[in-house]
């Protein structure tokens, strides 16, 4: 149990740090702020379920700790309801503004009801209702991309919470392993986008190393001496920009027009042509339009494609 507690603590800390960090680098929106609130409230719930904290809150029978635990999940649910309302396409701006006021007020009223009645069923049904609403709204946003996978994970964790409370709305044991599973899934969902971004950026830096070193050897001005990114994601973005700039400079910066290059080639064929050109004799001119990112591809994906063909060309020649 101690090991699991530390795992939950680490994941919750990562979730809160990731969501607060997201707010510092992106303009705050209702959805981003609500996810951060949900992560913080979930971390509080995770703390309350640990025996040490539970004994401090409720040294006698543990009922107060259970009510505080459910209260934390009410806050998580209220934040989740705001996220779902913001994502629901049928909600107008005016309706969303009203919901932004009413949903927190409903959560506060629910917390007061739990306190006055000493009954967690009021909070349980609020959590279940919000969970079902979020599941209905969120299913359409599940997709095979970082955000879609994060939404799928969040909904999976929410589904576990709803199932636990539906099994017994009037009484729950915070130390139930299913609560731990729900917290772990939700924590991973809250920080999965940032985790995937880090792994993707690391892959870009690793895959483009040979291509970048070649261009940097010919054009050392690509790297500014007074600016070096230390964050992996930003470093990868800088690497992509530097490679695109380096390719343009290597092609003569558009000063050597060529009329015999077919720019209607497929992206893969263009990447192979560029790799062959880079591996060819120094100073061979190439049409700069060939280097531009093809429609439908991001700059990062285009650069990775060129780097892959560049490495493949090296292994072929050797």
């Amino acid at each position: 149990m101690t090991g699991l507690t530390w795992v939950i603590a680490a994941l919750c800390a990562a979730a809160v740090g990731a969501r607060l960090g997201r707010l510092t680098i992106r303009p705050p929106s209702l959805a981003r702020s609500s996810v951060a609130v949900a992560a913080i409230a979930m971390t509080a719930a995770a703390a309350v379920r640990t025996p040490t904290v539970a004994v401090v809150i409720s040294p006698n029978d543990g009922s107060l700790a259970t009510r505080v635990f459910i209260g934390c999940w009410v806050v998580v649910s209220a934040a989740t309801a705001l996220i779902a309302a913001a994502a629901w396409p049928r909600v107008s701006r005016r309706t969303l503004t009203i919901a932004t006021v009413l949903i927190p007020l409903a959560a506060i009223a629910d917390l007061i009801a739990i306190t006055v009645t000493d009954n967690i069923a009021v909070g349980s049904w609020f959590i279940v209702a919000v969970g079902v609403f979020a599941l209905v709204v969120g299913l359409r946003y599940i997709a095979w991309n970082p955000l879609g996978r994060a939404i799928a994970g969040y909904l999976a964790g929410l589904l576990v919470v709803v199932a636990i409370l539906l099994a017994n709305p009037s009484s729950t044991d915070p130390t139930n392993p299913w609560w731990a599973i729900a917290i772990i899934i939700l924590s991973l969902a809250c920080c999965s986008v940032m985790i995937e971004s880090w792994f993707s950026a690391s892959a870009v830096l690793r895959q483009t190393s040979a291509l970048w070193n070649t261009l940097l050897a010919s054009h050392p001005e690509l790297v500014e001496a007074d600016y070096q990114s230390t964050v992996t994601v930003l470093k990868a973005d800088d690497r992509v920009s530097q490679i695109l700039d380096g390719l343009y400079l290597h092609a003569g910066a558009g000063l050597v027009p060529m009329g015999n290059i077919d720019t209607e080639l497929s992206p893969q064929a263009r990447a192979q042509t560029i790799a062959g050109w880079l591996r060819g004799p120094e100073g061979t001119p190439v049409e700069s339009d060939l280097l531009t990112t093809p429609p439908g591809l991001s700059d990062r994906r285009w650069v990775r494609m060129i780097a892959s063909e560049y490495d493949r060309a090296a292994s072929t020649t050797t």
Side-chain angles (χ1 to χ4, degrees):
M1 176 63 86
T2 304
L4 181 61
T5 301
W6 280 109
V7 169
I8 293 174
L11 289 174
C12 287
V16 172
R19 299 321 309 181
L20 293 180
R22 193 77 166 176
L23 285 177
T24 61
I25 62 174
R26 293 289 183 89
S29 63
L30 178 60
R32 292 193 187 104
S33 301
S34 298
V35 175
V37 171
I40 294 171
M42 180 184 60
T43 302
V48 171
R49 73 178 296 274
T50 58
T52 304
V53 178
V55 169
V56 172
I57 295 175
S58 184
N60 297 322
D61 57 356
S63 60
L64 178 58
T66 302
R67 293 197 298 274
V68 173
F69 179 76
I70 292 297
C72 292
W73 283 105
V74 168
V75 177
V76 174
S77 298
T80 302
L82 290 175
I83 299 169
W88 198 8
R90 296 184 179 181
V91 175
S92 64
R93 186 181 297 273
R94 184 171 181 274
T95 304
L96 183 59
T97 302
I98 296 174
T100 306
V101 176
L102 292 183
I103 291 175
L105 288 178
I108 292 173
D110 197 79
L111 292 173
I112 293 174
I114 294 173
T115 304
V116 172
T117 63
D118 289 340
N119 189 354
I120 67 169
V122 181
S124 298
W125 286 117
F126 178 85
I127 297 168
V128 169
V130 170
V132 172
F133 170 63
L135 286 168
V136 172
V137 174
L139 284 175
R140 63 182 296 168
Y141 295 102
I142 295 176
W144 192 250
N145 55 51
L147 181 58
R149 287 189 288 271
I151 293 173
Y154 195 92
L155 294 180
L158 206 59
L159 183 61
V160 174
V161 172
V162 170
I164 295 171
L165 294 177
L166 280 177
N168 192 351
S170 301
S171 177
T172 188
D173 180 10
T175 61
N176 186 331
W178 284 106
W179 281 115
I181 292 173
I183 293 172
I184 290 172
I185 295 173
L186 288 168
S187 299
L188 287 172
C190 285
C191 58
S192 66
V193 172
M194 279 63 78
I195 293 173
E196 287 195 41
S197 296
W198 185 87
F199 278 109
S200 177
S202 299
V204 168
L205 294 175
R206 184 174 60 256
Q207 187 176 2
T208 61
S209 178
L211 175 60
W212 182 69
N213 287 329
T214 297
L215 293 172
L216 189 62
S218 300
H219 309 282
E221 66 274 14
L222 289 173
V223 178
E224 297 181 19
D226 57 344
Y227 173 76
Q228 292 288 335
S229 298
T230 56
V231 180
T232 303
V233 175
L234 297 179
K235 189 182 296 185
D237 290 339
D238 290 344
R239 174 74 61 84
V240 169
S241 298
Q242 290 164 2
I243 288 176
L244 290 175
D245 291 342
L247 289 172
Y248 184 70
L249 292 174
H250 210 66
L255 300 178
V256 187
M258 302 289 293
N260 58 345
I261 297 296
D262 182 11
T263 57
E264 298 300 323
L265 296 170
S266 67
Q268 191 71 29
R270 287 175 61 178
Q272 291 172 354
T273 302
I274 295 170
W277 162 64
L278 290 170
R279 291 291 182 183
E282 184 75 22
T284 303
V286 69
E287 174 61 59
S288 58
D289 289 343
L290 188 71
L291 308 174
T292 58
T293 304
L297 291 182
S298 64
D299 288 345
R300 176 176 288 193
R301 187 176 176 188
W302 174 231
V303 166
R304 292 185 70 171
M305 189 178 293
I306 295 173
S308 178
E309 294 298 333
Y310 183 78
D311 292 342
R312 186 176 291 111
S315 60
T316 302
T317 55
T318 55

